[in-house]
Amino acid sequence: MGIAGPSGGSATTLAREAAARVRVEELESQIAELTARLEAERETWSRLRETVAEVVAEMSSSDWASVAEQPVKPTAGDQPVRVVGAIMVPHGREGLSVDVLPDVYRDIVEVVADASDPMQAKQIVPRIGLPAVTAKIEGTRGKLKQLVERGWLREDQPGLFALAHRTAEAKA
């Protein structure tokens, strides 16, 4: 048994209390440090998200339609890797086949070509096999705008898309 201290506890109890207090102070210090690091990382993440948004906006107005992963065959001893590449939407012109388009763009053009009237993005989305949720509608609207820029579709009225010219398949 230890000697009783001023609070009536033993020396062993006081030592354990002091050790616990030191551990608590160390943890509080670590929490403060981690909180500061977390805030710094949140700021970095926010800046990166803004940069990505700017890059995507620039890509949508450039020749690049979308980004897709393309598998690359590994060489001996290499681990399989994936390379990010870009899929181009070529300029449309009279008689050019929709087969030159990436799959989702081809599907969009074919749905619009089959329609008797101009269509909205929200009408196209379910016809290309996507759920009619805001994110998919907005993504499709971006693709529609890209197809307008490339001459495949036209937008005579805001949000209404129609075929810009008859493709070889649409004439048949």
Side-chain angles (χ1 to χ4, degrees), residues 36-103:
R37 287 177 49 197
L38 177 61
E39 286 305 312
E41 289 302 320
R42 280 186 176 150
E43 288 178 31
T44 301
W45 181 35
S46 178
R47 285 192 307 273
L48 285 171
R49 286 181 22 196
E50 290 172 10
T51 302
V52 168
E54 290 171 9
V55 169
V56 168
E58 288 174 15
M59 285 179 66
S60 67
S61 65
S62 72
D63 288 347
W64 304 105
S66 64
V67 176
E69 288 187 6
Q70 299 173 352
V72 175
K73 293 181 182 176
T75 59
D78 286 346
Q79 295 294 322
V81 294
R82 299 190 75 73
V83 174
V84 175
I87 300 174
M88 282 188 66
V89 174
H91 286 280
R93 61 183 177 278
E94 184 72 32
L96 185 62
S97 170
V98 294
D99 292 334
V100 300
L101 293 171
D103 292 342

Side-chain angles (χ1 to χ4, degrees), residues 128-165:
I128 60 173
L130 297 174
V133 296
T134 303
K136 299 301 181 184
I137 293 169
E138 292 305 315
T140 300
R141 184 173 288 114
K143 289 175 177 64
L144 287 161
K145 297 280 189 180
Q146 182 73 33
L147 288 164
V148 168
E149 289 175 14
R150 293 284 168 214
W152 289 92
L153 301 178
R154 69 179 195 276
E155 186 179 15
D156 296 332
Q157 295 178 355
L160 291 175
F161 300 90
L163 205 57
H165 49 76

Side-chain angles (χ1 to χ4, degrees), residues 20-30:
R21 185 180 63 246
V22 168
R23 288 193 305 271
V24 167
E25 289 171 356
E26 287 174 357
L27 289 172
E28 287 173 342
S29 174
Q30 289 175 1

Side-chain angles (χ1 to χ4, degrees), residues 122-135:
K122 67 181 179 183
Q123 296 169 306
I124 296 169
V125 166
R127 290 185 172 107
I128 60 173
L130 297 174
V133 296
T134 303

